[in-house]
C-alpha cells in the first residue's frame, strides 16, 4: 500500500492529558475585573432584571458582594455609580462624597488589597444621560467636558481609586485626565482608557443597571461606528500618545478582530470589555436550556484571551472562576 503523505495533527488530540500539554491559551482568575454597581441609599440590593445575578448595592450592603469577590480570588473591581440626584453637568460624578468616591473609600478601608478601578464618565450622573456637557441646541460639547472629566478623575484618585478608567470618548480625554492627575500629585495613578468604544447595541442591559440611557438622541457623535476598523487604530494611537497605561476595547465578542489589531500594534496591556448584552444573551439562553452555560462562558472568555486580551472586564467573573475550579 502506498504511504500517503499528510500531516497527522490529531496525534496531539488523543487524550485530555495530551491536549492539556499543548494548550496555547489559558484563563486565570487574575485575568478578570468584576463590575459592581453602587447606588445611594440604604439596605439596597436590587437585581438587574436584564442581567440575572447582577445587583445594585448600597454601600451598607456592599460587603455581601465584596466578601464573595475576595473569597473567589478576584483581584480587581470596576465601580459604576447611581447617584440620588442628577443635574445638567453631572456634578455628583466629581463630588468629594459622590457614590463612587464613597464606595471606593469603603472598599479600600475594608479590602485594602483589592484593586479599585473607577469608571470615569458623566452619563450616569447627568440629567440628560450623555457623557459630556450639552449645549442649548443639544450638541455634546467636547472641550468643556474635559475639565469636568479631569475633576472627576482627581476626586476618584483622592478617594483611593487605584486606576482611573475614562469611558466618555471625548477627544483629548486621556491628555486632560493625565494632566489633572499629575497636577494633583497622582502621577502614579494609571489610566485604563476606553480607547476603542463602539456605539453598540450590546449596551442595553447596562443602561438598565446604571440608569444611564440618553434622554435624547444617541451617542454616535462620540462613540465609534461598528463598521470601522482603521478608526480604532487612530483612537488607540491618540490615547497611547496622550499617556494611557491600558487600552480597553468595548464591546468584545463582536470585535475580536479589533482586540487582535490593538494587541498587534501596541505594547500596553489590552483589556476586553465583555459587555452587558453579551452577558445577558448567555444567561437567557442558559436559563432556557439552549446552551451549556459553563462551556459557553469559558469558551467565550478564552476566545477573548486568544484574540489578544491580557485582562477581561466581565460580569461572568464569579461564575467563570467557579467553572474553572470545577474543571
Amino acid at each position: 500500500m502506498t504511504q500517503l503523505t499528510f500531516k497527522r495533527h490529531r496525534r496531539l488530540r488523543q487524550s485530555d492529558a495530551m491536549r492539556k500539554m499543548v494548550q496555547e491559551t489559558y484563563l486565570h482568575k487574575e485575568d478578570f475585573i468584576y463590575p459592581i454597581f453602587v447606588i445611594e441609599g440604604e439596605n439596597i440590593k436590587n437585581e438587574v432584571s436584564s442581567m440575572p445575578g447582577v445587583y445594585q448595592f448600597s454601600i451598607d450592603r456592599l460587603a455581601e458582594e465584596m466578601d464573595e469577590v475576595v473569597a473567589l480570588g478576584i483581584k480587581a473591581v470596576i465601580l459604576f455609580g447611581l447617584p440620588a440626584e442628577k443635574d445638567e453637568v453631572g456634578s455628583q460624578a466629581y463630588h468629594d462624597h459622590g457614590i463612587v468616591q464613597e464606595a471606593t473609600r469603603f472598599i479600600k478601608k475594608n479590602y485594602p488589597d483589592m484593586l479599585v478601578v473607577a469608571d470615569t464618565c458623566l452619563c450616569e450622573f447627568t440629567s440628560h444621560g450623555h457623557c459630556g456637557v450639552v449645549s442649548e441646541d443639544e450638541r455634546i460639547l467636547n472641550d468643556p467636558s474635559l475639565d469636568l472629566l479631569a475633576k472627576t478623575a482627581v476626586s476618584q484618585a483622592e478617594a483611593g481609586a487605584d486606576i482611573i478608567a475614562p469611558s466618555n470618548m471625548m477627544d483629548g480625554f486621556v491628555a486632560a485626565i493625565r494632566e489633572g492627575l499629575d497636577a494633583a500629585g497622582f502621577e502614579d495613578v494609571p489610566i485604563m482608557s476606553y480607547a476603542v468604544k463602539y456605539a453598540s447595541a450590546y449596551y442595553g442591559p447596562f443602561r438598565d443597571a446604571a440608569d444611564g440611557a440618553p434622554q435624547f438622541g444617541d451617542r454616535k457623535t462620540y462613540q465609534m461606528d461598528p463598521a470601522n476598523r482603521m478608526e480604532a487604530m487612530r483612537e488607540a494611537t491618540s490615547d497611547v500618545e496622550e499617556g494611557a497605561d491600558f487600552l480597553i476595547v468595548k464591546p468584545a465578542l463582536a470585535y475580536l478582530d479589533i482586540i487582535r489589531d490593538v494587541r498587534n500594534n501596541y505594547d500596553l496591556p489590552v483589556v476586553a470589555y465583555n459587555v452587558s448584552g453579551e452577558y445577558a444573551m448567555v444567561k437567557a439562553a442558559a436559563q432556557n436550556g439552549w446552551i451549556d452555560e459553563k462551556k459557553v462562558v469559558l469558551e467565550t472568555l478564552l476566545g477573548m484571551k486568544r484574540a489578544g486580551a491580557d485582562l477581561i472586564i466581565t460580569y461572568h467573573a464569579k461564575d467563570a472562576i467557579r467553572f474553572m475550579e470545577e474543571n
Side-chain angles (χ1 to χ4, degrees):
M1 180 177 178
T2 304
Q3 179 67 44
L4 298 176
T5 57
F6 56 85
K7 301 292 184 181
R8 295 193 178 273
H9 301 291
R10 290 181 56 199
R11 288 172 181 153
L12 302 184
R13 305 174 193 153
Q14 296 306 305
S15 68
D16 287 342
M18 182 72 75
R19 288 192 294 272
K20 197 68 174 176
M21 185 167 68
V22 299
Q23 183 173 329
E24 300 172 20
T25 308
Y26 289 87
L27 289 170
H28 306 281
K29 63 179 65 177
E30 291 82 5
D31 298 335
F32 302 137
I33 301 172
Y34 184 61
I36 295 179
F37 297 95
V38 286
I39 186 170
E40 290 198 62
E42 295 181 355
N43 194 30
I44 298 172
K45 181 182 178 181
N46 296 329
E47 186 170 27
V48 180
S49 60
S50 54
M51 300 177 70
V54 174
Y55 297 83
Q56 302 165 338
F57 288 92
S58 55
I59 292 175
D60 61 330
R61 296 193 64 176
L62 186 53
E64 298 173 33
E65 182 80 308
M66 290 305 304
D67 287 347
E68 184 178 9
V69 166
V70 170
L72 287 168
I74 294 171
K75 305 300 183 184
V77 296
I78 182 167
L79 298 180
F80 299 92
L82 288 82
E85 298 180 1
K86 302 186 179 189
D87 57 34
E88 288 292 306
V89 294
S91 61
Q92 289 298 308
Y94 46 86
H95 195 287
D96 288 344
H97 297 287
I99 182 61
V100 170
Q101 288 80 353
E102 289 299 300
T104 299
R105 292 187 182 99
F106 174 86
I107 293 172
K108 296 307 294 184
K109 177 182 178 181
N110 295 284
Y111 308 89
D113 294 331
M114 180 64 60
L115 282 174
V116 174
V117 184
D119 179 77
T120 306
C121 198
L122 302 177
C123 60
E124 297 143 43
F125 303 91
T126 54
S127 52
H128 46 72
H130 279 284
C131 301
V133 176
V134 174
S135 68
E136 292 183 0
D137 59 351
E138 297 187 344
R139 290 181 299 112
I140 314 304
L141 302 178
N142 193 93
D143 294 7
S145 303
L146 298 180
D147 293 337
L148 301 184
L149 292 165
K151 285 180 64 175
T152 301
V154 170
S155 71
Q156 292 170 337
E158 288 174 340
D162 299 288
I163 300 172
I164 299 299
S167 58
N168 56 90
M169 289 297 284
M170 298 293 119
D171 291 336
F173 69 95
V174 173
I177 289 172
R178 184 72 273 160
E179 181 179 354
L181 289 172
D182 291 354
F186 295 108
E187 299 93 341
D188 293 332
V189 174
I191 296 175
M192 181 181 286
S193 172
Y194 287 68
V196 181
K197 182 177 179 181
Y198 286 89
S200 173
Y202 284 96
Y203 301 151
F206 176 90
R207 291 172 182 171
D208 293 339
D211 189 26
Q215 299 303 301
F216 65 87
D218 54 40
R219 294 175 176 151
K220 292 180 180 178
T221 66
Y222 46 103
Q223 294 178 1
M224 290 174 49
D225 185 340
N228 291 355
R229 182 178 180 183
M230 297 307 297
E231 183 182 9
M233 298 302 99
R234 298 197 296 272
E235 288 281 0
T237 297
S238 293
D239 288 8
V240 171
E241 292 173 349
E242 292 173 18
D245 301 283
F246 303 78
L247 300 174
I248 297 175
V249 177
K250 180 182 181 182
L253 194 54
Y255 298 87
L256 296 177
D257 59 322
I258 306 301
I259 294 173
R260 173 47 57 185
D261 285 344
V262 173
R263 172 73 289 147
N264 287 345
N265 283 278
Y266 307 100
D267 59 3
L268 296 177
V270 176
V271 185
Y273 197 138
N274 179 210
V275 300
S276 59
E278 298 166 2
Y279 172 88
M281 290 191 301
V282 171
K283 283 293 185 180
Q287 287 180 350
N288 279 282
W290 298 335
I291 61 170
D292 182 320
E293 181 178 0
K294 172 181 175 179
K295 291 181 178 179
V296 169
V297 166
L298 294 181
E299 183 177 339
T300 298
L301 298 175
L302 196 65
M304 294 171 192
K305 283 290 297 290
R306 190 185 63 247
D310 300 290
L311 301 166
I312 304 172
I313 300 172
T314 179
Y315 305 95
H316 290 297
K318 294 191 298 183
D319 288 339
I321 290 171
R322 293 188 182 99
F323 296 154
M324 290 158 60
E325 290 174 348
E326 290 173 9
N327 284 346

